[in-house]
Amino acid sequence: MTSQSTELTQNFEKKETRGRKRLLKRDDILNGALSIGLDSLTMKNLAEHLNVGTATLYQYFENRETLLMEAAEYSIRLLPFPDYRGQGWKELALEYTKNVQKILKQHPSFIHSHPVTDYGYKIHFTLTEKILADLISCGLDAKQAIKVAHIITMASYAGAVEAIRQDRLPVAGSDIRCYISEQFSEMDHKEFPILSENIDDFILSADDKINLLLEVALANIQDEFKT
């Protein structure tokens, strides 16, 4: 996610002068937190990033946990989620899956965090409510929309995990298909007869895997809606 640029006066005064506006805005801090990345965020490295004293940050946020929760909510609001523009609910579901997957890939801590102890349920509720409202605009009822929202959530998590795994492979400029093909070419194909005959169908990018998963899941649930 690209954070907005922040300009801070070099002679920033740590103590606020009565009657003067603060030189540091709350959005400056949140953008700075997203720029660093929530996984590695500390009050100290954020203060260094913003060229202010650590004590300044505590004028805005009680602690790191409070800052993390607000920064997470802020990241959701910044993303250009798809809106209903007449497309079908399946197309919208695919668009949402790609967007949520992007959030999770950029902030892996969202994947393994617990909503009670880390970022709070409000983020989950806020995102879900937006998805449900748009799906209902497409003609689904609330119960149908919730079922589709579950598919979007699980596919997004799976896609983000796979994308992170593939990005961490030592591909050295080559795409994932080439890399895995090269690795498989070094194997004794007699040990993997089924894979040997179907290796092209097996090796898929993270996006291709998610598209395949959604194609099956959404087709099945569409048949259920018709009954």
Side-chain angles (χ1 to χ4, degrees), residues 1 4 12 82 98 108 120 148 154 197:
M1 180 185 302
Q4 300 172 358
F12 182 83
K98 299 300 183 182
V148 175
M154 298 311 296
E197 295 182 4

Side-chain angles (χ1 to χ4, degrees), residues 204 207-217:
L204 298 175
D207 284 342
D208 288 338
K209 288 183 178 181
I210 288 303
N211 288 338
L212 178 61
L213 176 62
L214 287 173
E215 180 181 351
V216 174

Side-chain angles (χ1 to χ4, degrees), residues 29 36 40-50 52-68:
I29 299 175
I36 291 174
S40 57
L41 180 67
T42 67
M43 299 298 264
K44 181 179 179 180
N45 63 15
L46 178 57
E48 292 175 351
H49 177 74
L50 295 174
V52 300
T54 304
T56 300
L57 299 181
Y58 286 103
Q59 296 177 16
Y60 297 83
F61 296 95
E62 180 180 356
N63 49 44
R64 177 180 179 272
E65 288 68 31
T66 303
L67 171 59
L68 277 174

